Amino acid sequence: MCTWKHRRSGMSGLKMYIFLLLVGSASVLQAVKVSPLIETVSDHKDFKKLLRTRTNVLILYTKSDMSGEGHLKLLSEVAQAVKGQGTIAWINCGDSEGRKLCKKMKVDPSSKSSGVEMLHYKDGTFHTEYSRPATLKSMVAFLKDPTGAPLWEENPDAKDVLHVSSEKDFRKLLKKEERPILMMFYAPWCGVCKRMQPIFQQAATEAKGKYVLAGMNVHPAEFDGLKQEFDIKGYPTFCYFEKGKFLYNYENYGATAKDIVDWMKSPLPPQPKAPEVPWSETDSAVHHLTEDTFDSFLEEHPSTLVMFYAPWCGHCKKMKPEYEDAAEVLNRNHDGPGALAAIDTTVHKNVGERYKISGFPTVKYFENGEDRYTLPHLRTKDKIIEWLHNPQAPPPPEPSWEDTASSVNHLGAEDFREVLKKKKHTLVMFYAPWCPHCKNAVPHFTAAAEGFKEDRKIAYAAVDCTKGQNQELCRQEGVEGYPTFNYYNYGKFSE
């Protein structure tokens, strides 16, 4: 017969068992407590709905609830950072429902040493396995741009470059570091930056222990103050610091790793660019005019070609010897067909403004002091001499690509970024109007643009790299020849 004492003892044991069970359950629940921003999926119906309604999804598959504990904690922070831009989901392959779903999806996280697997789904279908570092910065960068290039610091070869993420860390580095620092301020989309990064990281390895070579992506607007402070107007910009003080810029963009290390041993400010050598008037067969002599010369010479030029202009420099040779040939014959003259429009600006000179070189033909023709096709000695012997009106100019109606969006430095970031896919052709390969490519590029004109996600764009501020834009985009084709995803350079 069971006594009250025995019953009390039995009840106490049962209570203790229930208590321990509840405590154990609570600890498990606590261990797998998931942020409300992470979607928990357990059946195929929910899985399909998730992919149908979300376009950018990273799913964590775990062997069990406990094996995903560390990742879930990190992914909670990631989910907060990409809220509205990406979705994080969790499938526990260790419970009965999750096991069926994982089997159906042919995902087996137990085969991984970590017991977890992360797969990314884009626009409703599988995109790629997440294999980049399991860090907040890398995962956020991936979800904000799943097709973009990895961060520079993810490259194992860049381990000796000190990667700086915030202005606070940058100031701290300047304050505490005793060694000289060469800081590379860059933008992820910048072509020249990408070309120089392997060189810079090799230099960092060679200089390890003696100097600090650091990199910092300062493209985001939060660094506008920093860019203004160090006069960062293009990428990359290299700044050299000693004991926290900025001393020089490093401007050798064609450097090798050895060049950088050698410069760090004996840093010097950039050498001033050699002044433009003026066109020698004393040894020239060409008549050099000024604002004071321009009109009187044209009165005395009824048939005159005038080359309006700028000393810094590359095309002018290329044309000068041809123009000189033509003048020498014409000067041998005192009864020649005409005279060749030139005027530096950067000095004698009033003459340039009078004839609306907007590009260099501009060649004009004057007859009895009257401006008759503009002759863009006269660039060589033979053509100049031939034309002067038989002056004819030039063929009508071909309409520029920009002036021809098409589905190509012609962009400049002022609207390039703004337009590109609105399009999912943009192919940009960087060109020069005079480039033969560009001229050959134009009809094909235009036809391709026409084929996608109804698709709002796709754009074809072109940038004339010979225009003013576009020259700096093209340099930043890594344009080294024409034509150059770059593909952008929402304004970010991809390939």
Side-chain angles (χ1 to χ4, degrees):
M1 184 176 177
C2 181
T3 65
W4 175 243
K5 183 177 179 181
H6 288 134
R7 284 200 301 269
R8 282 185 63 189
S9 175
M11 285 296 290
S12 298
L14 180 62
K15 286 179 181 179
M16 181 60 70
Y17 173 75
I18 293 172
F19 173 75
L20 290 173
L21 185 66
L22 289 172
V23 169
S25 300
S27 65
V28 171
L29 288 170
Q30 184 67 28
V32 295
K33 187 176 181 182
V34 184
S35 163
L37 293 174
I38 297 179
E39 304 218 10
T40 303
V41 181
S42 58
D43 62 53
H44 194 247
K45 185 178 177 182
D46 290 342
F47 179 82
K48 288 177 70 176
K49 182 182 177 182
L50 177 69
L51 296 192
R52 189 174 65 250
T53 57
R54 309 294 171 86
T55 59
N56 181 20
V57 184
L58 182 65
I59 298 182
L60 172 72
Y61 295 86
T62 65
K63 181 174 71 173
S64 64
D65 48 9
M66 296 303 292
S67 65
E69 183 180 6
H71 281 77
L72 286 168
K73 186 176 180 181
L74 171 61
L75 286 169
S76 297
E77 298 179 54
V78 175
Q80 183 64 46
V82 300
K83 190 176 179 181
Q85 296 173 279
T87 301
I88 308 289
W90 174 40
I91 297 176
N92 178 13
C93 299
D95 63 29
S96 56
E97 289 297 318
R99 192 177 300 112
K100 293 177 188 175
L101 178 56
C102 294
K103 190 174 181 180
K104 190 175 185 70
M105 299 308 301
K106 297 181 180 177
V107 178
D108 181 17
S110 63
S111 63
K112 305 282 185 179
S113 58
S114 61
V116 302
E117 188 168 353
M118 284 186 280
L119 303 182
H120 182 258
Y121 298 81
K122 189 171 179 288
D123 299 325
T125 59
F126 171 72
H127 170 230
T128 186
E129 180 179 358
Y130 181 83
S131 56
R132 287 164 62 172
T135 64
L136 177 65
K137 189 175 179 182
S138 291
M139 298 181 91
V140 169
F142 171 79
L143 278 167
K144 287 188 175 182
D145 185 11
T147 59
L151 300 175
W152 188 11
E153 53 260 52
E154 294 176 24
N155 184 344
D157 293 333
K159 65 183 185 303
D160 295 321
V161 174
L162 179 64
H163 299 280
V164 181
S165 302
S166 67
E167 184 171 346
K168 181 181 177 183
D169 290 343
F170 170 70
R171 302 289 181 194
K172 186 176 178 182
L173 173 67
L174 294 187
K175 186 176 181 181
K176 294 192 173 182
E177 182 56 62
E178 292 293 322
R179 293 168 293 176
I181 301 167
L182 184 62
M183 175 70 68
M184 178 177 172
F185 295 107
Y186 69 95
W189 44 261
C190 157
V192 179
C193 304
K194 290 179 180 180
R195 178 168 56 78
M196 291 205 70
Q197 281 174 353
I199 298 163
F200 193 75
Q201 61 201 31
Q202 184 184 341
T205 299
E206 292 179 14
K208 189 176 180 180
K210 295 180 181 178
Y211 314 111
V212 174
L213 272 67
M216 185 175 185
N217 170 19
V218 291
H219 180 61
E222 65 187 278
F223 300 116
D224 284 353
L226 204 63
K227 285 181 273 191
Q228 186 174 358
E229 181 180 349
F230 294 103
D231 197 30
I232 301 168
K233 294 177 180 175
Y235 304 114
T237 293
F238 296 92
C239 293
Y240 176 76
F241 299 87
E242 281 186 9
K243 299 189 184 303
K245 304 280 187 183
F246 167 67
L247 295 183
Y248 314 124
N249 285 113
Y250 181 72
E251 294 184 352
N252 183 2
Y253 295 101
T256 63
K258 184 178 183 301
D259 292 333
I260 295 174
V261 176
D262 287 347
W263 185 85
M264 292 287 287
K265 292 174 184 175
S266 181
L268 293 169
Q271 297 303 305
K273 292 178 181 178
E276 297 294 340
V277 178
W279 199 345
S280 174
E281 299 182 18
T282 54
D283 302 326
S284 177
V286 174
H287 300 276
H288 288 269
L289 307 180
T290 67
E291 290 177 359
D292 296 333
T293 63
F294 189 85
D295 293 324
S296 59
F297 183 87
L298 294 185
E299 287 175 11
E300 295 168 11
H301 298 79
S303 177
T304 306
L305 276 180
V306 179
M307 175 180 168
F308 296 83
Y309 74 96
W312 45 260
C313 158
H315 299 300
C316 303
K317 292 174 184 177
K318 188 176 180 181
M319 183 180 168
K320 279 178 186 179
E322 298 282 339
Y323 203 64
E324 281 278 3
D325 289 347
E328 285 183 10
V329 172
L330 293 167
N331 288 351
R332 289 176 200 152
N333 185 353
H334 295 293
D335 297 323
L340 266 59
I343 184 165
D344 182 350
T345 319
T346 65
V347 176
H348 307 289
K349 296 178 181 178
N350 290 336
V351 178
E353 289 172 5
R354 194 202 314 179
Y355 293 103
K356 297 181 171 60
I357 304 301
S358 58
F360 304 109
T362 294
V363 177
K364 282 183 171 288
Y365 176 66
F366 291 85
E367 190 175 67
N368 298 317
E370 181 187 348
D371 177 9
R372 290 294 304 278
Y373 308 127
T374 300
L375 306 161
H377 63 294
L378 296 189
R379 289 289 185 270
T380 64
K381 177 187 85 170
D382 293 339
K383 284 191 175 182
I384 292 166
I385 295 171
E386 181 187 350
W387 190 90
L388 261 182
H389 276 98
N390 184 24
Q392 298 285 328
E398 296 178 13
S400 70
W401 190 14
E402 290 187 57
D403 295 333
T404 306
S406 77
S407 298
V408 176
N409 196 343
H410 290 272
L411 305 177
E414 67 283 350
D415 60 356
F416 182 80
R417 309 260 176 247
E418 192 63 31
V419 171
L420 260 61
K421 71 181 183 182
K422 294 177 182 176
K423 297 290 182 180
K424 186 173 184 179
H425 309 289
T426 308
L427 186 64
V428 181
M429 175 174 163
F430 297 92
Y431 73 99
W434 47 260
C435 156
H437 298 301
C438 302
K439 290 177 182 177
N440 291 337
V442 164
H444 302 288
F445 194 79
T446 303
E450 191 67 23
F452 286 96
K453 67 179 181 180
E454 302 298 332
D455 194 323
R456 293 185 179 182
K457 294 181 179 179
I458 297 174
Y460 282 73
V463 175
D464 179 353
C465 292
T466 65
K467 287 187 171 181
Q469 292 182 335
N470 289 3
Q471 294 177 17
E472 176 61 23
L473 170 65
C474 294
R475 188 185 75 80
Q476 290 179 1
E477 297 307 301
V479 177
E480 297 178 346
Y482 305 120
T484 290
F485 296 91
N486 283 358
Y487 165 66
Y488 298 83
N489 177 257
Y490 290 119
K492 292 186 177 181
F493 173 85
S494 292
E495 59 180 297

